[in-house]
């Protein structure tokens, strides 16, 4: 009987210890599952942040592309061709120019591999070539090729901001030696077709 009681107690203790182990295993698995869920939530939040970042970068690139696309890569047909220019000096801080001085040149609007350009001719000789940025009805002209006889430190720019079929108006600025500045009013009219 003692053996039977001892065997029963042993089985009960064994059964109780097995139950305790299963409960411990179950609790450990549950803790591990909670930890995995937290890690998954953190990774999911990182993924959402990356998606938001990607979307904002795509929007920034699209906005940048749209703003650069608004700069025309060519002159419209209505502007290409020869225009007679009348330049009148309106402001002068240089001794070589006097207010009221006038010049006439031929400006030829064309498209090239670099984009819209304007060749300025004087007595059938190329005087300078402007590179142009045409945007929102305004054209900013920057020297691309200058007259070889011009002083090296001369810088010429132009802003054409009034366009119509019969006339183009704007200003041309020339900065010369000793940082002197001359401003001309520019008026262009279409050259007669030959």
């Amino acid at each position: 009987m003692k053996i039977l009681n001892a065997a029963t107690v042993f089985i009960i203790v064994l059964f109780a210890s097995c139950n305790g182990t299963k409960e411990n295993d179950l609790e450990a698995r549950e803790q591990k599952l909670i930890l995995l869920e937290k890690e998954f939530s953190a990774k999911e939040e990182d993924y959402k942040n990356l998606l938001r970042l990607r979307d904002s970068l795509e929007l920034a690139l699209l906005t940048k592309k749209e703003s650069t696309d608004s700069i025309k890569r060519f002159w419209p047909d209505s502007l290409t061709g020869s225009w007679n220019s009348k330049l009148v000096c309106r402001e002068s801080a240089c001794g070589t120019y006097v207010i009221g001085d006038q010049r006439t040149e031929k400006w030829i609007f064309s498209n090239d591999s670099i984009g819209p350009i304007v060749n300025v001719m004087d007595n059938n000789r190329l005087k300078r070539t402007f590179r142009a940025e045409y945007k929102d009805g305004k054209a900013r002209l920057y020297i691309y090729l200058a007259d070889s006889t011009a002083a090296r430190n001369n810088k010429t720019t132009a802003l054409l901001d009034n366009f119509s079929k019969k006339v183009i108006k704007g200003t041309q600025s020339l900065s010369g030696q000793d940082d002197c500045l001359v401003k001309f009013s520019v008026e262009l009219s279409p050259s007669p077709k030959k």
Side-chain angles (χ1 to χ4, degrees):
M1 180 92 172
K2 284 186 176 188
I3 294 181
L4 187 60
N5 282 342
T8 306
V9 170
F10 177 74
I11 291 176
I12 291 174
V13 169
L14 183 63
F15 184 76
S17 68
C18 285
N19 258 357
T21 304
K22 285 185 181 181
E23 280 184 41
N24 289 342
D25 286 347
L26 189 57
E27 191 172 293
R29 284 184 185 177
E30 190 174 344
Q31 291 301 321
K32 197 173 187 180
L33 185 58
I34 290 170
L35 183 64
L36 287 173
E37 285 177 349
K38 285 181 182 177
E39 288 176 359
F40 180 79
S41 292
K43 287 182 181 181
E44 185 178 32
E45 190 60 34
D46 284 346
Y47 177 73
K48 287 178 183 177
N49 287 336
L50 286 172
L51 286 178
R52 283 191 289 271
L53 177 64
R54 181 203 64 190
D55 292 345
S56 68
L57 288 173
E58 285 178 349
L59 179 63
L61 285 173
L62 181 62
T63 304
K64 182 178 178 184
K65 183 179 184 310
E66 287 173 355
S67 68
T68 50
D69 282 351
S70 64
I71 296 174
K72 304 292 188 230
R73 303 288 178 212
F74 54 89
W75 291 117
D77 290 339
S78 61
L79 295 179
T80 56
S82 295
W83 295 74
N84 293 322
S85 73
K86 179 181 177 184
L87 286 83
V88 179
C89 181
R90 298 291 183 204
E91 182 182 322
S92 177
C94 298
T96 53
Y97 299 96
V98 178
I99 295 174
D101 280 353
Q102 294 187 20
R103 296 177 169 190
T104 57
E105 302 166 330
K106 184 177 282 191
W107 290 30
I108 303 170
F109 288 69
S110 61
N111 297 304
D112 197 347
S113 60
I114 62 168
I117 61 170
V118 176
N119 288 317
V120 178
M121 307 293 288
D122 188 18
N123 293 324
N124 293 325
R125 186 175 67 79
L126 180 64
K127 188 172 184 179
R128 73 181 63 87
T129 299
F130 286 112
R131 180 177 54 85
E133 288 181 358
Y134 183 57
K135 178 180 177 182
D136 300 327
K138 294 181 181 180
R140 295 190 184 282
L141 309 177
Y142 305 95
I143 281 293
Y144 181 65
L145 294 173
D147 182 0
S148 60
T149 62
R152 292 246 182 245
N153 55 354
N154 281 357
K155 180 180 176 188
T156 306
T157 60
L159 172 64
L160 304 175
D161 56 0
N162 188 344
F163 288 86
S164 70
K165 290 181 181 181
K166 299 289 182 189
V167 70
I168 300 172
K169 294 182 179 179
T171 57
Q172 178 177 307
S173 300
L174 171 78
S175 62
Q177 294 177 337
D178 303 323
D179 293 326
C180 69
L181 179 67
V182 180
K183 289 190 179 182
F184 293 91
S185 65
V186 177
E187 187 173 305
L188 304 170
S189 57
S191 295
K193 306 285 184 201
K194 295 180 180 179

